[in-house]
């Protein structure tokens, strides 16, 4: 049951996050970037708090321990707020392809933070090779223009810091060992994310008068708020609880694939042979990861293994901390 839930979280978070780059790029034509993110989290916070208020008992609704508070702050300030603020700002300077590559550095950096801050998540040399193979596949899928990769240093730098914030936030959530369910944690984290982005928008001189309200603007805001906000974050942080920070952030290898296929299906974009080669390379990276490094088998329905992993340093595989059924 837990394995099926983990697989569902993986699929949904990959799908919903995959559409974020398209919707964000479309919305930036109508919204200032930081205000766009702030409004996104305003809507998401209202929806999420209403949902948990109606579906969660009072005893499980409020943070009670230092770990609960730490997990809420790591969720709202780092993993959601700062990450998305930097993502939306960075996308102004680079193409969606380059943004996808930079953001897909997240799974590479997560094991570094995990090795420093967690005792139960380690990455073997073979696991590192599998992640590198996956990153190569990401680059092939988005088929970037070399000229764009060499330029846009400001945008790439912003996106790189955003990927760092996401990786650190995911690991700190795990480290906090909170008793809050992932849904409740996201609900409390979203107001912090919204407040941070409003503060950054105000500091940057952005104003609501610069917004152009059109049908396309409303649709873009609706997608990034509800699908890429509420539903995606429920799935993503549930995946962190169930599978760990390193495995959860493997979704960022799949996100560019979803974005590419979505562009082909919805926007008439073409998929060339290089992109197909990228898909196959990503799948090869997952095969390497699944064989002897991270227990990627736990993402497959019906497969649950409690045996120690051959390449892990710890002799006993710990159960995921902080996991609760919502």
């Amino acid at each position: 049951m837990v394995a099926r839930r983990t697989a569902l979280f993986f699929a949904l978070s990959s799908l919903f996050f995959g559409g974020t780059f398209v919707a964000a790029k479309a919305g930036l034509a109508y919204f200032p970037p930081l205000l766009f993110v702030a409004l996104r989290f305003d809507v998401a916070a209202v929806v999420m708090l209403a949902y948990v208020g109606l579906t969660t008992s009072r005893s499980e609704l409020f943070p009670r321990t230092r770990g609960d508070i730490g997990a809420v702050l790591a969720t709202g300030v780092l993993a959601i707020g700062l990450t998305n603020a930097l993502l939306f700002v960075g996308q102004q300077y680079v193409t969606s392809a380059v943004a996808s590559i930079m953001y897909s550095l997240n799974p590479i950096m997560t094991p570094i933070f995990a090795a420093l801050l967690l005792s139960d998540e380690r990455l073997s040399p073979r696991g590192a090779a599998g992640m590198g193979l996956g990153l190569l596949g990401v680059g092939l899928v988005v088929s970037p223009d070399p000229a764009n990769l060499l330029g846009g240093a400001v945008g790439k730098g912003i996106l790189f810091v955003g990927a760092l914030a996401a990786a650190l936030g995911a690991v700190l959530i795990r480290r906090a060992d909170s008793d809050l369910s992932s849904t409740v944690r996201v609900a409390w984290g979203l107001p912090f994310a919204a407040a941070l982005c409003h503060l950054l928008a105000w500091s940057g001189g952005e104003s609501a008068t610069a917004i152009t309200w059109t049908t396309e603007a409303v649709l873009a805001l609706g997608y990034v708020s509800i699908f890429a906000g509420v539903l995606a974050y429920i799935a993503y942080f549930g995946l962190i609880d169930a599978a760990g920070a390193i495995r959860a952030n493997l979704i960022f290898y799949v996100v560019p694939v979803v974005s590419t296929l979505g562009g082909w299906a919805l926007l008439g974009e073409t998929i060339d042979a290089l992109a197909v080669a990228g898909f196959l390379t990503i799948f090869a990276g997952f095969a390497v990861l699944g064989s002897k490094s991270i227990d990627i088998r736990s993402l497959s329905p019906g497969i649950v293994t409690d045996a120690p992993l051959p390449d892990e340093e710890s002799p006993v595989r710990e159960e995921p901390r902080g996991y609760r059924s919502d």
Side-chain angles (χ1 to χ4, degrees), residues 49-289:
L49 288 171
Y51 173 75
V52 298
L54 293 172
T55 60
T56 308
S57 66
R58 186 177 181 83
S59 62
E60 297 179 335
L61 183 59
F62 296 99
R64 297 182 301 275
T65 67
R66 182 177 299 179
D68 292 344
I69 295 172
V72 167
L73 290 176
T75 299
V77 175
L78 284 174
I80 297 180
L82 186 59
T83 296
N84 282 273
L86 294 169
L87 169 63
F88 278 54
V89 172
Q91 275 201 267
Q92 295 180 108
Y93 302 99
V94 299
T95 65
S96 295
V98 174
S100 297
I101 289 177
M102 296 303 299
Y103 211 69
S104 293
L105 293 173
N106 189 325
I108 302 298
M109 292 177 286
T110 301
I112 298 174
F113 289 120
L116 295 173
L117 299 173
L118 300 177
S119 62
D120 64 337
E121 292 196 38
R122 293 291 186 269
L123 187 66
S124 69
R126 186 162 185 168
M131 285 192 168
L133 195 59
L135 184 61
L136 173 62
V138 169
L140 293 173
V141 167
V142 298
S143 304
D145 183 344
N148 288 332
L149 281 176
L150 294 175
V154 172
K156 288 187 290 184
I158 293 172
L159 290 164
F160 177 73
V161 177
L164 279 176
L168 178 59
V171 172
L172 289 178
I173 291 167
R174 187 80 164 163
R175 182 181 172 86
D177 197 13
S178 171
D179 289 329
L180 292 174
S181 72
S182 58
T183 302
V184 172
R185 191 173 64 241
V186 172
W188 286 115
L190 282 168
F192 286 100
L196 173 64
C197 292
H198 276 293
L199 178 61
L200 292 174
W202 175 78
S203 300
E206 294 185 0
S207 170
T209 59
I211 299 174
T212 303
W213 290 105
T214 65
T215 301
E216 291 78 7
V218 172
L219 290 174
L221 180 60
Y223 181 88
V224 297
S225 300
I226 304 301
F227 290 95
V230 173
L231 299 178
Y233 283 120
I234 289 175
Y236 174 58
F237 290 114
L239 184 62
I240 291 177
D241 283 346
I246 294 176
R247 282 172 288 190
N249 279 349
L250 291 175
I251 67 166
F252 295 107
Y253 280 151
V254 182
V255 163
V257 178
V258 175
S259 298
T260 301
L261 292 175
W264 169 75
L266 301 175
L267 305 177
E269 297 175 351
T270 59
I271 302 178
D272 57 24
L274 197 59
V276 174
F279 294 154
L280 297 177
T281 304
I282 291 171
F283 297 147
F286 271 102
V288 172
L289 284 166

Side-chain angles (χ1 to χ4, degrees), residues 22-68:
V22 178
K25 198 69 176 180
L28 287 171
Y30 308 99
F31 297 90
L34 292 170
L35 193 55
F36 189 14
V37 183
L39 292 174
R40 170 193 186 185
F41 293 141
D42 287 340
V43 175
V46 170
V47 173
M48 280 294 295
L49 288 171
Y51 173 75
V52 298
L54 293 172
T55 60
T56 308
S57 66
R58 186 177 181 83
S59 62
E60 297 179 335
L61 183 59
F62 296 99
R64 297 182 301 275
T65 67
R66 182 177 299 179
D68 292 344

